[in-house]
Amino acid sequence: MTVVLSLIVSWLWYRHWHDGNVNSQRREQTRASILERAQATANNTNSALARSGSTDTDALADVIWRHSKAPVITYDTSRPEFTATAAVSAHYDEKVMIPGGGNAEVSRCFTFTYTQRPNETWTSKVSEWGDDVCRPSTQIGGRARLALTRISSMNAEDLSLTRVQNALDPTRRRSFDVKNVVRRGGIVRIFVLVSSSGAEVEQCYRFTRRVSGSGTQDTATAVPTPFC
């Protein structure tokens, strides 16, 4: 009996050691793949900015959003320079003794900086930070999606500044500040300042919704924009 127990303990110890090594390798491989994705995103965005030939700040921010989906995109008028902040994550199969394994996630926080040179060429830089830097950005992204859902579900005639404000922030927590509502033809554009907890970070979002007629509900889109 003692020999059998010793064999079981030895096997369990080996499995724990082996699985730990395998998981460590998979985790590092996933981290490396995330960095490769971030670099590819920066390169693709940089090329798209150059191809756009635009000098319009909103249009350039749209290009960055389409490629990065970063919840926070700021603009420094003195450089000129855009900075997009986003957490990038990926999953891997974690090896465990329980049959079927487990699903583990790796997340890395990046800022993507895009600078336009005097000769109108663009350069990009990817910097990695601790999770605390991306926490407000992730929170703003979640709140922007919530606002998008609520704006999409509103009746067309209710898309006024006051009614949208009440729909987004019924408890007056000040996570949303509706700055402007613009109607042109069958399109309504709503500009909302979305804040993280404690207003640590704020990001303006432009929600665009087509309205087909009174009482109809049409899907909206949401894009971060540097200014409200």
Side-chain angles (χ1 to χ4, degrees):
M1 179 64 70
T2 302
V3 173
V4 173
L5 288 175
S6 297
L7 289 173
I8 293 174
V9 170
S10 297
W11 180 82
L12 290 173
W13 180 88
Y14 170 77
R15 276 299 307 269
H16 176 74
W17 172 82
H18 177 265
D19 291 354
N21 283 344
V22 171
N23 290 333
S24 179
Q25 292 175 3
R26 290 178 179 177
R27 185 164 51 251
E28 289 307 311
Q29 289 170 354
T30 304
R31 285 178 56 84
S33 70
I34 291 174
L35 179 57
E36 290 178 1
R37 282 170 49 196
Q39 293 286 0
T41 295
N43 293 337
N44 292 337
T45 305
N46 196 69
S47 298
L49 288 169
R51 288 195 305 270
S52 73
S54 177
T55 58
D56 181 75
T57 304
D58 283 344
L60 293 170
D62 285 353
V63 172
I64 296 171
W65 163 253
R66 285 199 303 271
H67 286 81
S68 69
K69 301 302 181 186
V72 171
I73 300 174
T74 60
Y75 180 65
D76 184 350
T77 57
S78 66
R79 301 189 69 91
E81 183 175 272
F82 289 90
T83 301
T85 305
V88 182
S89 61
H91 293 83
Y92 68 94
D93 291 329
E94 188 174 44
K95 191 173 180 63
V96 295
M97 284 188 286
I98 300 174
N103 189 25
E105 182 182 65
V106 174
S107 181
R108 302 179 72 171
C109 175
F110 297 103
T111 55
F112 303 84
T113 305
Y114 304 99
T115 306
Q116 189 174 30
R117 299 303 183 189
N119 61 359
E120 297 187 356
T121 61
W122 287 87
T123 61
S124 61
K125 177 183 177 182
V126 179
S127 302
E128 184 171 6
W129 304 89
D131 293 341
D132 57 314
V133 172
C134 278
R135 194 169 295 116
S137 171
T138 301
Q139 192 173 56
I140 285 175
R143 290 177 176 176
R145 288 190 294 273
L146 174 62
L148 180 62
T149 299
R150 291 180 178 176
I151 290 173
S152 296
S153 66
M154 293 180 69
N155 290 329
E157 64 268 21
D158 291 333
L159 295 175
S160 65
L161 192 150
T162 300
R163 290 182 177 180
V164 173
Q165 180 68 55
N166 290 336
L168 297 185
D169 197 16
T171 60
R172 302 296 187 270
R173 297 178 63 182
R174 307 309 299 173
S175 299
F176 305 98
D177 186 4
V178 182
K179 294 295 188 180
N180 197 13
V181 176
V182 179
R183 286 179 178 266
R184 287 183 181 174
I187 297 177
V188 179
R189 290 184 175 88
I190 304 166
F191 296 85
V192 182
L193 189 65
V194 185
S195 302
S196 64
S197 296
E200 181 181 358
V201 175
E202 296 177 329
Q203 174 66 52
C204 183
Y205 269 78
R206 181 182 69 249
F207 297 88
T208 303
R209 184 176 144 185
R210 293 185 179 275
V211 288
S212 304
S214 178
T216 60
Q217 296 178 357
D218 299 87
T219 302
T221 60
V223 178
T225 183
F227 309 109
C228 276

